[in-house]
Amino acid sequence: MKKTLLLLLMLTLSLQGSFAQTEEQDRKMKWWREARFGMFIHWGPYSILGGVYNGYLQRVGGTEWIMNRCKIPVKEYQEITKTFNPVKYDAEAWVKMAKDAGMKYLIITAKHHDGFAMFKTEASKYNIVDFTPYGKDVLDALAKACRKYDMKLGFYYSQIQDWNNPGGTTGRRPMSQGWPNPKADEIDAYTLAHHGSWDPLQQTATREEYFDNVAIPQIKELLTNYGDIAVFFWDTPSEMTEKYAKKISDLFKDYPHIITNDRLIRGSEKYTGDYKTPEQIIPTVKQLDGTDWETNMTLNDSWGYKKRGCVWKTSRTLILNLVDIVSKGGNYLLNIAPDGEGAIPEINYRRLKDVGNWMKKYGESIYGTERVKTSEPKWGRCTQKFDGDKTYVYLHVIDWPEDRQLLFRLYEKASSATLLHNGQALKFKNTHDGIYIDLPKEAPDPYVSVIKLEFDKKLPKVKIKPMNAKSYEIVDENNKKKE
């Protein structure tokens, strides 16, 4: 009897601890889950080249990988970096652009794989203040602009891959992905023999020295020098170990509010991060495992600025992506790429203006919403949110019915139905088939029209599950696993 009571007590305490952890995580993730839409910015010395080296357009991948794929020697890339002078950079204009598009947070590459710090750092002279004619800390200006316009700020930091600071990993890619170098076979043989490195300078320090002298000090600087940081986005954790992950994770003990992604280390149950990061894809409902997630995606076909040969997503595609992602309980992190002078190509403004105009009318159906516990409609997508004892369900109608009647197969009784953009009441019937709604002849929106249903009760929620070690497979453009 005593043994049974002891087991029950231990189980009760365990459940209480689990509930407390879940509540704490829910509080931490609250703003992020409500935001749903953010801006990603890839920017650095690679933006000068724009994907072109020796007159050739880089053959594979985003232009931020040009140093690696084209095997540009360290000293040569540094000479290019010395010309980085983004005099057209306007932090406030960037933040306003994000805000006007309906975005609620912003993440910028503080250091990408080329090892260049876009901030003042004591850990390496290879930074925008000490190494370029620009001589100013762009992250400082951006942090101030984000505070001014109430925009959450996050940093992308390549924690282990680094092609300039010795000791970082180098992520081997064949020369054929860069340009037709006449010494391609020789270079490929060298990178194969040297764990991906193509320049002896990359091998003049150990991994331990890189972490202790560069990565850890720089992460500390990013945590302490820019005010309240909301998100850290890690990347390419190939060769990360639990030892290195612990060193980084320990830095965040004093910053429990900072949300981190799942790319610090792969396959670890201990360092899972707070959300998962499918890249350039939107998971299917079957692929989702119930955890928090965010699709990060380019506006064109490159993360970094690309001078020529761009393929741009249409405004319709961007809006459909947003609706699809949010209807499945995810966030949409959409990337823009400034050029080497800090200017953002005009087409970015046009695309984001279209998205922003749609969000001004229909943002209510995106912000603070979650998945609806029903099958995915064939005519579009749906989201829901709660207000006291009421539930509002938003029907995102992509394919407007020709017979002007929409069937929503939710077996609950709605109390009203309206067009969201103007509040026009719609006739509807609650039936055993679901909810039939009579529609106007023409769709009111050229992209996605939204119908708002009201229910005088709380509908079932789709529970968000704790993180686990399983990650979405990240695949790069040559269909090889991304490091």
Side-chain angles (χ1 to χ4, degrees):
M1 184 67 174
K2 288 183 179 179
K3 187 176 181 181
T4 303
L5 288 172
L6 180 61
L7 288 171
L8 285 171
L9 178 62
M10 290 174 65
L11 178 61
T12 301
L13 291 172
S14 175
L15 288 172
Q16 286 176 345
S18 177
F19 288 145
Q21 288 177 353
T22 301
E23 288 176 2
E24 183 181 343
Q25 185 67 8
D26 286 344
R27 284 193 294 271
K28 178 180 183 178
M29 300 299 291
K30 184 176 185 296
W31 75 261
W32 187 90
R33 292 171 184 167
E34 291 177 350
R36 290 307 183 203
F37 192 26
M39 176 180 281
F40 212 176
I41 302 175
H42 275 66
W43 191 38
Y46 45 83
S47 306
I48 301 169
L49 297 173
V52 177
Y53 181 65
N54 285 340
Y56 294 93
L57 182 66
Q58 178 184 314
R59 290 180 169 179
V60 172
T63 63
E64 72 287 349
W65 271 75
I66 193 166
M67 180 184 179
N68 182 307
R69 296 192 195 270
C70 291
K71 302 298 178 288
I72 303 175
V74 171
K75 292 294 185 184
E76 181 181 343
Y77 192 83
Q78 289 179 354
E79 288 303 310
I80 294 168
T81 302
K82 287 178 180 177
T83 69
F84 190 40
N85 190 22
V87 292
K88 294 181 181 177
Y89 171 56
D90 185 340
E92 289 201 12
W94 290 15
V95 175
K96 286 179 184 176
M97 178 188 188
K99 202 171 185 73
D100 289 345
M103 295 162 163
K104 298 293 187 180
Y105 59 106
L106 184 154
I107 297 174
I108 188 171
T109 49
K111 178 176 81 74
H112 206 270
H113 310 323
D114 65 353
F116 182 74
M118 296 290 283
F119 59 99
K120 169 65 177 173
T121 173
E122 300 300 327
S124 170
K125 292 296 182 186
Y126 194 54
N127 70 78
I128 194 165
V129 176
D130 297 322
F131 208 81
T132 76
Y134 187 68
K136 288 178 280 190
D137 186 330
V138 299
L139 298 192
D140 181 60
L142 192 63
K144 289 172 180 173
C146 283
R147 284 193 292 273
K148 180 176 178 179
Y149 293 100
D150 193 27
M151 179 73 63
K152 297 279 189 182
L153 175 63
F155 292 143
Y156 169 113
Y157 186 86
S158 179
Q159 73 273 23
I160 190 167
Q161 184 157 204
D162 193 314
W163 308 326
N164 258 284
N165 295 297
T169 63
T170 43
R172 184 173 185 265
R173 297 292 187 273
M175 190 69 243
S176 60
Q177 294 184 8
W179 66 288
N181 190 324
K183 296 183 178 180
D185 291 342
E186 181 183 330
I187 293 170
D188 283 345
Y190 185 90
T191 60
L192 183 62
H194 294 87
H195 305 286
S197 297
W198 59 92
D199 188 320
L201 290 175
Q202 295 167 325
Q203 305 159 58
T204 56
T206 65
R207 189 82 72 247
E208 192 83 20
E209 289 171 330
Y210 167 76
F211 262 93
D212 290 344
N213 299 330
V214 180
I216 296 298
Q218 287 189 342
I219 294 168
K220 285 182 180 177
E221 290 169 334
L222 290 171
L223 285 170
T224 57
N225 293 348
Y226 300 95
D228 188 12
I229 303 306
V231 180
F232 256 75
F233 191 110
W234 313 113
D235 203 11
T236 60
S238 179
E239 299 184 40
M240 275 291 290
T241 64
E242 293 249 345
K243 176 183 175 182
Y244 298 140
K246 183 179 186 304
K247 283 188 175 185
I248 292 176
S249 184
D250 284 348
L251 299 178
F252 286 76
K253 288 180 179 178
D254 292 332
Y255 307 90
H257 67 283
I258 295 180
I259 295 168
T260 61
N261 73 341
D262 63 335
R263 299 189 189 182
L264 178 61
I265 183 173
R266 292 297 197 204
S268 170
E269 291 287 351
K270 192 173 183 181
Y271 305 107
T272 60
D274 297 300
Y275 66 99
K276 298 186 178 182
T277 50
E279 182 171 309
Q280 299 285 44
I281 62 164
I282 301 173
T284 64
V285 171
K286 287 184 178 180
Q287 290 172 326
L288 297 174
D289 64 359
T291 56
D292 285 305
W293 61 280
E294 173 189 74
T295 282
N296 54 107
M297 191 175 282
T298 53
L299 206 147
N300 53 28
D301 57 344
S302 175
W303 295 103
Y305 170 69
K306 190 175 180 182
K307 284 183 177 178
R308 59 182 191 243
C310 281
V311 179
W312 296 88
K313 293 179 177 68
T314 65
S315 300
R316 175 179 170 81
T317 295
L318 298 176
I319 292 168
L320 291 181
N321 285 346
L322 176 61
V323 166
D324 190 19
I325 289 166
V326 176
S327 75
K328 294 171 181 172
N331 282 21
Y332 190 23
L333 188 65
L334 182 60
N335 183 75
I336 66 164
D339 66 21
E341 292 186 312
I344 298 172
E346 180 60 30
I347 192 169
N348 291 265
Y349 284 95
R350 294 203 303 271
R351 291 290 190 271
L352 292 186
K353 183 178 180 182
D354 287 342
V355 177
N357 287 339
W358 187 88
M359 287 290 280
K360 284 181 178 70
K361 291 186 287 185
Y362 304 113
E364 177 187 330
S365 71
I366 299 295
Y367 302 128
T369 62
E370 56 187 59
R371 286 177 64 188
V372 180
K373 208 164 187 179
T374 186
S375 57
E376 198 169 76
K378 299 226 181 252
W379 39 257
R381 298 292 183 265
C382 54
T383 59
Q384 70 180 18
K385 69 169 58 169
F386 303 96
D387 184 6
D389 291 329
K390 288 185 179 292
T391 305
Y392 297 101
V393 174
Y394 302 91
L395 311 184
H396 298 87
V397 186
I398 298 167
D399 297 319
W400 197 256
E402 288 187 28
D403 63 3
R404 299 172 58 183
Q405 189 174 73
L406 187 81
L407 172 60
F408 180 38
R409 288 190 172 273
L410 184 71
Y411 306 106
E412 301 282 356
K413 289 186 177 180
S415 56
S416 71
T418 57
L419 291 175
L420 183 58
H421 75 289
N422 64 2
Q424 178 187 336
L426 299 174
K427 291 182 179 180
F428 69 96
K429 288 181 181 179
N430 295 307
T431 77
H432 62 273
D433 297 334
I435 304 167
Y436 284 99
I437 307 168
D438 294 336
L439 303 179
K441 182 178 180 182
E442 301 293 336
D445 191 89
Y447 301 123
V448 182
S449 302
V450 182
I451 297 166
K452 180 179 180 179
L453 296 179
E454 182 177 337
F455 297 83
D456 296 327
K457 62 181 290 190
K458 280 194 171 183
L459 298 185
K461 291 172 64 75
V462 177
K463 186 178 179 181
I464 298 175
K465 296 178 182 177
M467 285 286 284
N468 53 56
K470 184 180 178 182
S471 298
Y472 291 98
E473 185 177 66
I474 305 300
V475 178
D476 70 10
E477 291 81 354
N478 64 333
N479 294 323
K480 298 277 183 74
K481 282 187 181 180
K482 182 176 175 181
E483 307 222 23

